[in-house]
Amino acid sequence: MKQRLFLQIDNAPLIIFRIFFGLLLACETFGAILTGWVKSNFIDPAYTFSHIGFEWLQPLPGYGMYFYFSAMGILGLLVAIGYKYRWTLGLYTILWTGVYLMQKTSYNNHYYLLILVCLIMFFLPANKYASLDVKLNPALQKLTMPAWCSWIMIAQISIVYFYATIAKLYPGWLDGTFVRYLMEYSVPHPALRPIMTHKWFYLFITYSGMVFDLTIVPLLLFKRTRTIAFIASLIFHIFNSITLQIGIFPFFALSFVVFFYPPETIRRLFLKKKPVAITAGQPTNEGKNILHYFFLPYLIIQLLLPLRHHLIKGDVLWTEEGHRLSWRMMLRMRSGYTHFKIIDKKTGEEEMFNFRSVFTPKQIHNMETRPDMIWQTAQYLKRHFKELGKDVEIYADTKVSINKGAYKTLINPETDLASAKWDYFFHNEWVLLTDNKQTSKK
């Protein structure tokens, strides 16, 4: 197996993926401007929910984020044409990671996947053919790459699909409850909604989704099932693109297919003028240190991260602790409310605060059911009242429902969140577990 990893293969899949990937990066960032995503997440809000520990990462003032995203779009195009490849991709990776960390109101798993693939691609020789770098310096041109370059990409997408399958093994998915609600809220055409919310249809989507996530990689790996799997992947991702409107992710996921087909096939389809590599099939030590000292530890971390919630007390579906970075995608519907009680320590009087003067409706909707955002809101209120010369205690009355089930108390109403600490790695005791007393449905 080790020898197979270091055999030279045609680098056509990596070259084509670089072009697709760069174009998708540009589409993601220019599209964020054109669809109003940048405006709603960075321009309009007076306060931004960054990831805890990265509060220092804040949007640029005024219309600065438009220039920020425009710069990323240009960098994406430069990646596609392979100009100053590592500089342009490296800068894009830094800027996109900043976007990811500075806001989580519109959290999406594919934003995280973009960071990971940017990081992988930074270390791969993706500019060695059909690039401006080669045109400017022909000595850079290569027709082959070590086989492990393809296997790294296959391993990454396999991890995503595998843990996405495992995460679905809970009653709310297996009985079709979540998918039914998803169809109700996401289907854009009213005429289709009665069909797509019918029991036979949402159960079909429920189990076909699980089967797809579990089997798509093995089916793509075998020659006899590869084309059928590719067609199934096309149907699956185009359906998701139309019904769920999840941006570039369906096309991003489809682009990984180039690594499953024989490199010669990709060359014949997309790079017809590319010479046949006479060294293909011969061993090479190219990238040996990068594979051993970067990619192997990287893959081990990727395999372990989605398991960390098992070391944290409570059900991750309820507490959200260990939810992110774990490929827990499109799993549940959280609904509920949070009322804050703000008490002036000196006078004992209850203080008032108009949240809609600071937070957008989307921020409020997300904050009300997520422990980390509730805690961040309490910290914001603490700072706000301190600026007014007041020392306050802050308590949260939070009721949350998963998939329209019974409402339960999420946050201990007797905990002063203004003085509570956030545990980055383990359970926060002020987040109540699911065995607390149920209340009637809202």
Side-chain angles (χ1 to χ4, degrees), residues 12-44:
L14 183 60
I15 303 305
I16 291 301
F17 184 83
R18 184 206 78 221
I19 296 170
F20 288 168
F21 186 55
L23 293 174
L24 287 172
L25 296 180
C27 288
E28 177 70 24
T29 46
F30 285 135
I33 296 173
L34 296 174
T35 60
W37 191 89
V38 173
K39 183 177 186 294
S40 63
N41 286 282
F42 296 108
I43 307 296
D44 291 342

Side-chain angles (χ1 to χ4, degrees), residues 315-333:
D315 182 356
V316 61
L317 194 73
W318 170 254
T319 67
E320 295 274 302
E321 295 168 317
H323 172 81
R324 296 189 181 93
L325 316 185
S326 300
W327 312 119
R328 301 180 60 79
M329 303 177 286
M330 306 295 286
L331 278 181
R332 76 283 181 264
M333 179 181 294

Side-chain angles (χ1 to χ4, degrees), residues 212 214-234 257 260-262:
F212 177 86
L214 183 63
T215 64
I216 189 60
V217 169
L219 292 176
L220 283 170
L221 285 170
F222 290 99
K223 182 178 179 180
R224 290 186 177 181
T225 55
R226 187 173 293 135
T227 300
I228 295 174
F230 174 59
I231 294 171
S233 189
L234 272 175
V257 170
F260 290 89
Y261 278 88

Side-chain angles (χ1 to χ4, degrees), residues 84-356:
K84 301 289 185 182
Y85 171 71
R86 284 200 166 82
W87 283 100
T88 53
L89 181 59
L91 183 54
Y92 186 99
T93 304
I94 293 170
L95 293 176
W96 182 258
T97 302
V99 168
Y100 175 84
L101 293 173
M102 78 171 69
Q103 78 82 30
K104 57 185 174 183
T105 301
S106 296
Y107 179 87
N108 195 310
N109 277 278
H110 89 252
Y111 301 159
Y112 170 52
L113 183 59
L114 272 181
I115 296 174
L116 298 181
V117 177
C118 280
L119 191 60
I120 292 172
M121 288 291 287
F122 180 83
F123 290 99
L124 299 185
N127 64 329
K128 299 299 184 179
Y129 189 82
S131 70
L132 207 52
D133 284 347
V134 167
K135 189 173 182 64
L136 295 172
N137 183 7
L140 289 175
Q141 179 169 295
K142 289 197 69 174
L143 302 178
T144 63
M145 65 181 181
W148 63 259
C149 294
S150 279
W151 285 106
I152 287 295
M153 302 300 283
I154 291 172
Q156 177 62 78
I157 200 66
S158 300
I159 290 170
V160 174
Y161 280 125
F162 175 74
Y163 281 113
T165 304
I166 298 301
K168 292 179 175 68
L169 298 176
Y170 84 99
W173 181 278
L174 296 175
D175 64 10
T177 298
F178 169 70
V179 175
R180 174 162 60 90
Y181 293 141
L182 185 64
M183 293 294 103
E184 286 179 0
Y185 286 98
S186 63
V187 176
H189 305 291
L192 294 176
R193 198 168 292 125
I195 298 173
M196 299 178 78
T197 55
H198 199 281
K199 186 174 182 178
W200 70 266
F201 187 87
Y202 69 72
L203 284 178
F204 169 76
I205 296 298
T206 295
Y207 284 94
S208 63
M210 285 187 65
V211 171
F212 177 86
D213 288 347
L214 183 63
T215 64
I216 189 60
V217 169
L219 292 176
L220 283 170
L221 285 170
F222 290 99
K223 182 178 179 180
R224 290 186 177 181
T225 55
R226 187 173 293 135
T227 300
I228 295 174
F230 174 59
I231 294 171
S233 189
L234 272 175
I235 295 170
F236 177 82
H237 287 299
I238 290 174
F239 174 82
N240 284 346
S241 179
I242 294 171
T243 57
L244 302 180
Q245 301 175 359
I246 48 178
I248 68 164
F249 179 72
F251 310 101
F252 185 28
L254 282 170
S255 65
F256 283 86
V257 170
V258 297
F259 294 106
F260 290 89
Y261 278 88
E264 296 75 19
T265 301
I266 302 302
R267 186 191 71 241
R268 288 194 298 267
L269 284 173
F270 298 102
L271 298 170
K272 294 180 181 180
K273 295 182 180 181
K274 185 176 187 290
V276 176
I278 60 174
T279 58
Q282 297 180 15
T284 177
N285 285 323
E286 183 184 352
K288 185 176 180 180
N289 288 337
I290 294 173
L291 178 63
H292 287 168
Y293 299 114
F294 176 77
F295 281 116
L296 288 182
Y298 167 86
L299 290 176
I300 291 171
I301 292 170
Q302 285 299 306
L303 285 168
L304 294 178
L305 266 181
L307 299 174
R308 73 190 189 282
H309 69 84
H310 292 292
L311 302 177
I312 302 174
K313 187 192 302 184
D315 182 356
V316 61
L317 194 73
W318 170 254
T319 67
E320 295 274 302
E321 295 168 317
H323 172 81
R324 296 189 181 93
L325 316 185
S326 300
W327 312 119
R328 301 180 60 79
M329 303 177 286
M330 306 295 286
L331 278 181
R332 76 283 181 264
M333 179 181 294
R334 293 179 75 88
S335 55
Y337 63 87
T338 294
H339 297 149
F340 287 95
K341 182 186 291 186
I342 308 165
I343 305 295
D344 188 319
K345 288 184 179 180
K346 185 176 181 180
T347 66
E349 295 180 353
E350 187 169 341
E351 299 287 340
M352 303 299 294
F353 184 82
N354 180 13
F355 287 94
R356 296 194 181 277

Side-chain angles (χ1 to χ4, degrees), residues 368-437:
E368 287 186 311
T369 63
R370 288 166 173 79
D372 57 333
M373 296 177 76
I374 293 171
W375 180 84
Q376 285 178 289
T377 301
Q379 301 310 302
Y380 171 83
L381 293 172
K382 178 182 177 180
R383 292 191 300 270
H384 169 77
F385 283 99
K386 185 176 182 179
E387 291 173 359
L388 299 178
K390 298 180 180 181
D391 188 12
V392 297
E393 296 176 348
I394 302 169
Y395 303 91
D397 174 23
T398 301
K399 297 292 189 294
V400 172
S401 164
I402 305 295
N403 295 334
K404 295 188 177 181
Y407 280 79
K408 300 180 183 180
T409 303
L410 177 64
I411 305 298
N412 187 338
E414 298 180 359
T415 297
D416 174 15
L417 294 180
S419 59
K421 303 298 181 183
W422 177 260
D423 192 319
Y424 293 88
F425 303 107
F426 295 101
H427 176 61
N428 291 276
E429 294 299 333
W430 46 266
V431 179
L432 300 180
L433 304 182
T434 53
D435 56 1
N436 69 82
K437 186 178 179 180

